[in-house]
Amino acid sequence: TPLMAPLDTAVAESIVDKRKGAFYFLHDKLHEAAYGAIGSEQRCLHHFRYGLALGNVAVKERDDVLLITAVSQINHGGPQAVVDSEQGVAVASLNLDAGKVAMKMSDFFLAHSIFDHGISYLRKGHWEHQYDLSLELFNLAAKCALMNAEHAHLEILIQQIMHYAQCFEDKCQAISISITLHLLSGNVLEGVKTTLGTLASLGEELSRSPWWVPQLVIDYITPSVIQQHLSKTDAKLAELS
């Protein structure tokens, strides 16, 4: 294969060795010298091509660990290493799959980084030409941003989804995440308003009858009331410590 031939040559010249199917430099200084001799642009290309080769193997063998390694190498190369839009879509899809693997591992910081890299490979007009891929990358990136409390980035992602999503069903996840963000930020009123506005857009006008509480929420939950309850919670936690 294109990757193996140079490695076999390096083994023959005692630069690297092979043990149990793995290649390694015979000395750290050789490693540093070899890497340092490569220009920055060439490094990016080498990382990118190496990652693509690993990615093909990872997909074929359904190896999740290798897939994470592959996209790490690909993303080290970055969008500047992409040769055309078709390759960009393929790389974005690999990042989507790898990000899902990271989410299954509950590593939401890694997953968020991978999804963001996936988005970076999408070119202008991607919401029109790669709609499904774009929607899934943005939705999952938004979920991770919420989990990581990266609220500023989350708002940008939600704005993009709400602007480009083609139907209500495609906006559902973003709306749900937006409501959750309001509640976690202590902005209960905005969460309630978003909920009511969403229901109203579906023709579901909720009454103010005693069995529901929107007006009660609007009338009663004020910043001072929220602060009062937070103070009580802090006092209870202090008693337990």
Side-chain angles (χ1 to χ4, degrees):
T1 66
L3 281 176
M4 295 300 295
L7 289 172
D8 290 336
T9 300
V11 170
E13 295 181 3
S14 299
I15 297 173
V16 301
D17 201 358
K18 185 177 182 181
R19 181 186 301 162
K20 295 181 180 180
F23 292 91
Y24 63 95
F25 280 93
L26 289 173
H27 196 284
D28 289 343
K29 292 297 182 181
L30 287 172
H31 183 187
E32 293 172 7
Y35 195 74
I38 305 172
S40 58
E41 290 185 7
Q42 284 299 312
R43 286 182 203 170
C44 288
L45 287 174
H46 283 306
H47 280 295
F48 188 81
R49 292 167 182 168
Y50 178 53
L52 284 178
L54 289 178
N56 290 332
V57 176
V59 171
K60 183 178 180 180
E61 298 185 359
R62 298 181 179 180
D63 188 330
D64 289 344
V65 175
L66 185 60
L67 180 60
I68 294 288
T69 302
V71 298
S72 175
Q73 289 295 313
I74 290 171
N75 295 338
H76 198 78
Q80 65 269 24
V82 175
V83 297
D84 54 35
S85 59
E86 183 177 350
Q87 188 179 63
V89 171
V91 170
S93 296
L94 281 175
N95 274 274
L96 175 62
D97 292 338
K100 290 177 180 178
V101 171
M103 288 185 74
K104 288 179 182 178
M105 296 162 54
S106 298
D107 192 340
F108 295 100
F109 286 102
L110 175 61
H112 190 193
S113 173
I114 292 174
F115 291 135
D116 275 350
H117 277 293
I119 290 171
S120 74
Y121 292 103
L122 299 174
R123 298 193 175 183
K124 186 176 180 180
H126 63 86
W127 279 106
E128 179 182 357
H129 302 296
Q130 289 87 38
Y131 178 78
D132 290 339
L133 176 60
S134 300
L135 183 64
E136 192 167 13
L137 277 169
F138 273 78
N139 270 326
L140 291 176
K143 284 185 178 180
C144 292
L146 179 66
M147 294 295 294
N148 299 337
E150 298 180 42
H151 295 169
H153 189 208
L154 173 56
E155 290 178 356
I156 294 172
L157 292 167
I158 289 175
Q159 288 172 5
Q160 287 283 299
I161 296 168
M162 296 302 292
H163 181 75
Y164 289 104
Q166 297 175 359
C167 60
F168 175 79
E169 287 76 12
D170 289 347
K171 296 178 181 179
C172 280
Q173 288 190 47
I175 293 171
S176 175
I177 292 171
S178 180
I179 292 169
T180 303
L181 174 61
H182 287 314
L183 298 178
L184 291 176
S185 302
N187 200 347
V188 180
L189 292 182
E190 284 301 317
V192 172
K193 289 178 182 178
T194 301
T195 302
L196 295 177
T198 301
L199 292 172
S201 70
L202 297 172
E204 296 290 339
E205 292 284 354
L206 294 176
S207 67
R208 303 287 187 176
S209 58
W211 66 269
W212 214 64
V213 293
Q215 191 59 50
L216 173 63
V217 170
I218 293 172
D219 291 341
Y220 177 72
I221 299 183
T222 62
S224 60
V225 171
I226 293 172
Q227 186 58 51
Q228 180 182 352
H229 284 282
L230 288 174
S231 297
K232 288 182 180 179
T233 301
D234 288 340
K236 289 184 179 295
L237 289 173
E239 291 174 3
L240 296 173
S241 63

